[in-house]
Amino acid sequence: MIKLNYENAFVSEEKLLESAHLVKAAAAILHAKKGAGKEYTGWLDLPENYDKDEFLRIKEAAKKIKGHSDALVVIGIGGSYLGAKALFSALKHNFYNEIEKPKIYFAGQNLSPTYLKDLIEVLKDKDFSVNVISKSGTTTESAIAFRIFKSLLEEKYGKEGAKERIFATTDKSKGALKSLADTEGYETFVVPDNVGGRYSVLTAVGLLPLAVCDIDIDKLMEGAYDAAIKYANPNILENPCYQYAIIRNILYRRGKDIEILANYTPKLKYFTEWWKQLFGESEGKDGKGIFPAGVNFTTDLHSMGQMIQDGRRNIFETVLNIEKTNKDIEIESIDEDIDGLNYLANKTLHEINQKAMEGTIMAHVEGGVPNILLSIEELDEYNMGQLVYFFEKACGISGYLLGVNPFNQPGVEKYKSNMFTLLGKPGY
Ligand code: PA5
């Protein structure tokens, strides 16, 4: 269950109720699929209507990959990368690739030759498979990486052998990747037409890589399913998703145009990146939008803390709090207290981290930074499934409150066409 505490957001319950009709109207448009970008709202019903046959095929493909591969290279960028990376990092061991198999590597999310060369070196003596993910099937970064890894697989296993190790997640009927996959006979998975990239983590885009590293994708979908029911409640006082959407909109209207998402565990670093993409690409349009930023505490308290505490007062902070930890360390008392830490004896690191969070919230609120505290019980599949759905829905509603289409990304196309022109791509 996600708990939202807005007592430090400088928004009263009265103010919240005053704006409740706005969020209700936005939610009604979203549910009726009548708003801007309505053709990309399939993610809303995904936890109930997902393709059950494909879900089984995902599990079978994961089993096959685990059976013959030391490593899986997941190729994709943006919405075809961040969801899987976020949940992999949140739910698996911090040092997963050092102790578990198949190792998971991500590629195609940048154009760095050094990154690719280094990865090729790491894979040299390993049996590996590739999951190439691209809805359009034409994205340059992922297409280049796939061309390279496809050749490597064909050199290593021959064309037929490579076929057994390449899994393509793309549009059901169109795009260069779909044509290539059909020509070569790769197993394919579908990015549904009505689900945009950044809303696609609960499709094969996220589910196949996650299943390969033994993340319980049934529990993930169960969490999202329960969230879909809970966050359809029209009573704003009982719906933290609607509260989050309207509070950030109220703060934006007061000039707070930067939202900082803060976490207190390295496991949420990439979840924060996923969230940044979700809100950034959805809201940043027509000269409007809240700039989504992220900080990883307590690490960044020693770099960004000063700016948050004392810089320009155009920010608000949303803190992701994980209430329980499944691993902890107790501080022991020692005879000679030379390091002066005996005052912490018998406390656990989790308790100390929680106090760091509470102290930081107090300081930032005193510094004039509105705070929204979002708590989940623990980092597991069920809770993360809920959190994904919570943010997706809050983002769709926020976009409508702002008056933009939260489901397109016309701005992303601009750099692509400039790059194609500079590179001499036919037609540009
Ligand atoms: O959210 C989005 O739509 C984008 O970030 C895309 O996911 C990203 O540009 C990659 O596109 P594609 O999956 O077509 O390769």
Side-chain angles (χ1 to χ4, degrees):
M1 197 175 103
I2 298 162
K3 285 177 250 162
L4 183 142
N5 180 336
Y6 65 94
E7 67 188 22
N8 289 315
F10 309 150
V11 174
S12 63
E13 186 174 301
E14 204 186 352
K15 182 76 197 159
L16 193 81
L17 289 170
E18 235 173 63
S19 307
H21 67 285
L22 296 174
V23 87
K24 262 195 205 164
I29 291 171
L30 183 66
H31 282 282
K33 299 186 189 288
K34 290 199 166 142
K38 55 185 188 292
E39 62 280 24
Y40 294 111
T41 50
W43 55 271
L44 204 56
D45 326 297
L46 207 52
E48 192 182 353
N49 294 344
Y50 65 92
D51 181 337
K52 312 289 185 302
D53 293 335
E54 182 174 79
F55 198 75
L56 292 179
R57 271 202 310 120
I58 288 172
K59 289 181 177 174
E60 282 308 311
K63 211 186 280 172
K64 184 171 169 186
I65 295 167
K66 285 189 276 183
H68 64 29
S69 300
D70 302 318
L72 173 69
V73 181
V74 182
I75 297 177
I77 192 166
S80 293
Y81 153 65
L82 282 163
K85 176 83 177 174
L87 294 182
F88 166 71
S89 307
L91 296 169
K92 299 308 289 186
H93 196 285
N94 274 299
F95 305 97
Y96 173 93
N97 273 358
E98 274 151 67
I99 57 172
E100 295 204 43
K101 223 186 88 176
K103 297 175 191 308
I104 308 288
Y105 298 105
F106 292 88
Q109 82 282 34
N110 60 61
L111 285 169
S112 159
T114 316
Y115 184 93
L116 279 186
K117 276 278 187 194
D118 288 353
L119 181 53
I120 291 165
E121 193 184 323
V122 163
L123 291 169
K124 197 167 62 195
D125 301 318
K126 291 186 175 61
D127 282 314
F128 70 97
S129 295
V130 165
N131 178 200
V132 54
I133 307 165
S134 176
K135 181 172 178 170
S136 63
T138 54
T139 302
T140 316
E141 289 89 336
S142 41
I144 290 175
F146 182 53
R147 181 182 272 214
I148 292 166
F149 285 103
K150 175 179 181 291
S151 297
L152 282 177
L153 283 172
E154 288 174 354
E155 264 166 42
K156 198 165 170 152
Y157 304 103
K159 245 190 170 334
E160 282 307 302
K163 220 167 84 177
E164 296 303 307
R165 291 171 177 275
I166 294 175
F167 302 82
T169 306
T170 188
D171 188 272
K172 68 173 187 316
S173 55
K174 55 181 188 305
L177 179 57
K178 176 64 182 160
S179 312
L180 181 62
D182 286 348
T183 309
E184 301 281 12
Y186 304 146
E187 176 155 19
T188 57
F189 297 91
V190 172
V191 193
D193 282 343
N194 58 2
V195 179
R198 59 193 174 275
Y199 292 83
S200 70
V201 58
L202 299 177
T203 70
V205 169
L207 297 178
L208 177 56
L210 296 175
V212 171
C213 56
D214 278 339
I215 284 173
D216 187 339
I217 57 174
D218 288 287
K219 279 263 174 294
L220 200 62
M221 296 307 285
E222 202 183 305
Y225 179 85
D226 286 353
I229 295 171
K230 241 184 270 177
Y231 304 134
N233 185 344
N235 182 348
I236 195 162
L237 293 178
E238 293 170 7
N239 191 328
C241 177
Y242 291 3
Q243 288 172 19
Y244 177 59
I246 196 67
I247 290 169
R248 52 197 303 288
N249 185 265
I250 292 170
L251 293 172
Y252 176 68
R253 282 187 269 129
R254 288 183 192 162
K256 307 288 180 192
D257 55 10
I258 297 176
E259 178 178 11
I260 301 177
L261 188 71
N263 67 67
Y264 281 78
T265 166
K267 282 179 154 266
L268 289 178
K269 179 176 172 177
Y270 281 97
F271 189 77
T272 303
E273 293 302 317
W274 172 82
W275 172 90
K276 275 162 62 181
Q277 191 218 358
L278 180 66
F279 279 87
E281 261 188 14
S282 300
E283 288 193 315
K285 281 158 208 170
D286 310 331
K288 296 191 262 191
I290 299 172
F291 187 92
V295 286
N296 305 298
F297 287 159
T298 60
T299 311
D300 290 339
L301 283 173
H302 300 258
S303 67
M304 294 300 288
Q306 174 64 37
M307 175 59 91
I308 298 169
Q309 184 70 44
D310 213 14
R312 278 192 65 206
R313 301 297 74 187
N314 59 342
I315 54 178
F316 66 99
E317 203 171 24
T318 298
V319 173
L320 274 183
N321 172 34
I322 313 299
E323 289 173 339
K324 284 197 229 151
T325 177
N326 59 356
K327 292 180 187 172
D328 211 347
I329 295 176
E330 190 173 306
I331 309 294
E332 288 176 3
S333 175
I334 49 173
D335 287 345
E336 285 176 32
D337 187 23
I338 300 173
D339 59 9
L341 286 181
N342 270 0
Y343 79 100
L344 295 175
N346 306 323
K347 287 197 168 42
T348 71
L349 212 45
H350 181 63
E351 286 167 351
I352 296 168
N353 203 16
Q354 290 293 108
K355 292 298 166 216
M357 180 189 79
E358 288 167 27
T360 306
I361 291 173
M362 279 161 65
H364 291 177
V365 170
E366 269 169 38
V369 179
N371 182 279
I372 301 168
L373 180 63
L374 282 178
S375 302
I376 62 167
E377 224 177 358
E378 56 194 317
L379 270 186
D380 61 10
E381 284 89 339
Y382 180 77
N383 277 291
M384 291 312 284
Q386 289 218 1
L387 202 56
V388 162
Y389 194 88
F390 173 95
F391 278 130
E392 286 179 352
K393 187 158 187 194
C395 185
I397 291 174
S398 292
Y400 285 162
L401 289 171
L402 197 63
V404 299
N405 175 352
F407 308 116
N408 66 359
Q409 54 286 325
V412 180
E413 304 308 317
K414 295 269 189 270
Y415 98 91
K416 289 187 188 171
S417 58
N418 285 351
M419 183 175 87
F420 291 153
T421 309
L422 292 169
L423 287 168
K425 184 173 175 169
Y428 286 83

